[in-house]
Amino acid sequence: MGAYEEKKEACGTVCLKYLLFTFNFLFWLAGGVVMAVGVWTLVEKSDYISLLPSKTYAASAYILVLAGAIVMVTGVLGCCATFKEQRKLLGVYFVLLLCIFLLEILAGVLAYIYYQQLNDELKQNLKATMTNKYRQSDENEHITKAVDKLQQEFKCCGSNNSTDWVESKWIRSADSKGRKVPDSCCKTEIDLCGQRDHPSNIYKVEGGCISKLEKFILEHLKIIGAVGIGIACVQIIGMVFTCCLYRSLKAEPY
């Protein structure tokens, strides 16, 4: 009877090992996805981050990059710990899983919180940023590029509408050369095309650039939140497998 129990226990341990190994491989792939989403957000959409007064959006992406990198390292450690059947390594692996779990939950929560306050922040700050910082100094060059890219990519003009540019420091100055809006507002962007603000020449979008940027950021916040919380939930399975394997292994002799 004792031999049967030992054989049954050994069989259960082997099954747990392969389950945990499979999980680690999938977990490693998921880490690559998490990191890719974070890097893509920061690299491809970094211009728009400069238009946001809060750093919450960028922080969520940075957390995903960090979590993704740790996930990939942890996946390799998990495979080693599983096949070497070392309880100490499994313990370290579990702690790392827990840390990653908390990081990804944090990224998801930050994305959700910012999702709730984004509209108010954009209403309060985007117009001021566009009218006060556009083409004002070399320090604000990134703002200028971000505004031009925003207006061209989303086919919009001004924060709420094209008349917002009447309050622009640059438009009021001689440097604007008689432009009524920046050239990036034009449907066909050429030098000095902003001198004519007729609807046939410039974008007249309902809601202006605020509505376009808000929709864009909200979609990306959903992705960040879903990826962070989704992977975190999957990790619970890994932590359960790890605990079961840890308990099934005999304590190492000292």
Side-chain angles (χ1 to χ4, degrees):
M1 189 72 177
Y4 172 76
E5 288 295 331
E6 276 188 31
K7 187 175 180 181
K8 185 179 177 181
E9 186 177 325
C11 184
T13 301
V14 170
C15 288
L16 279 171
K17 280 174 60 177
Y18 281 101
L19 280 171
L20 193 54
F21 176 78
T22 303
F23 168 80
N24 275 309
F25 177 69
L26 295 174
F27 188 50
W28 183 83
L29 291 177
V33 172
V34 169
M35 190 161 63
V37 170
V39 170
W40 171 66
T41 301
L42 293 170
V43 174
E44 290 294 320
K45 312 302 174 185
S46 59
D47 290 333
Y48 299 141
I49 290 174
S50 64
L51 297 176
L52 303 174
S54 171
K55 301 301 179 185
T56 309
Y57 179 64
S60 298
Y62 279 118
I63 289 172
L64 281 188
V65 173
L66 177 62
I70 298 173
V71 162
M72 298 187 78
V73 174
T74 304
V76 175
L77 176 64
C79 290
C80 295
T82 301
F83 279 99
K84 288 187 176 182
E85 297 187 5
Q86 292 185 3
R87 297 183 86 201
K88 288 181 181 178
L89 269 180
L90 279 173
V92 172
Y93 173 65
F94 179 84
V95 171
L96 285 174
L97 275 182
L98 184 60
C99 290
I100 298 165
F101 175 81
L102 294 175
L103 273 176
E104 288 172 340
I105 288 292
L106 177 60
V109 169
L110 283 176
Y112 177 77
I113 291 173
Y114 195 52
Y115 183 95
Q116 302 299 313
Q117 66 186 46
L118 178 63
N119 183 267
D120 290 336
E121 281 200 3
L122 285 178
K123 284 180 178 177
Q124 292 172 14
N125 297 283
L126 185 59
K127 182 179 178 180
T129 298
M130 293 173 78
T131 56
N132 295 327
K133 295 184 178 180
Y134 184 82
R135 290 185 181 253
Q136 286 306 294
S137 66
D138 291 338
E139 292 179 4
N140 293 320
E141 183 62 25
H142 64 292
I143 298 289
T144 300
K145 288 181 179 178
V147 170
D148 286 336
K149 182 178 178 181
L150 175 69
Q151 295 190 141
Q152 275 294 298
E153 190 170 312
F154 293 121
K155 303 184 188 313
C156 59
C157 183
S159 177
N160 298 293
N161 52 61
S162 60
T163 59
D164 289 341
W165 285 109
V166 173
E167 302 174 33
S168 168
K169 291 181 180 179
W170 178 69
I171 290 294
R172 290 179 174 183
S173 71
D175 293 336
S176 69
K177 298 180 180 179
R179 290 180 179 88
K180 296 179 180 178
V181 294
D183 293 340
S184 57
C185 280
C186 299
K187 294 177 180 178
T188 302
E189 187 178 2
I190 57 174
D191 190 36
L192 298 177
C193 65
Q195 291 176 340
R196 180 169 172 266
D197 62 350
H198 191 272
S200 63
N201 184 51
I202 67 170
Y203 295 115
K204 296 276 189 178
V205 179
E206 186 73 26
C209 291
I210 277 186
S211 60
K212 297 282 189 175
L213 183 59
E214 181 185 18
K215 182 180 178 182
F216 168 81
I217 297 294
L218 288 180
E219 287 174 353
H220 285 267
L221 285 174
K222 287 178 184 177
I223 294 172
I224 290 174
V227 168
I229 293 176
I231 299 297
C233 291
V234 172
Q235 283 175 237
I236 296 174
I237 300 171
M239 287 189 278
V240 171
F241 285 160
T242 304
C243 288
C244 292
L245 182 58
Y246 184 89
R247 292 181 64 184
S248 70
L249 296 175
K250 293 180 180 179
E252 295 175 18
Y254 291 93

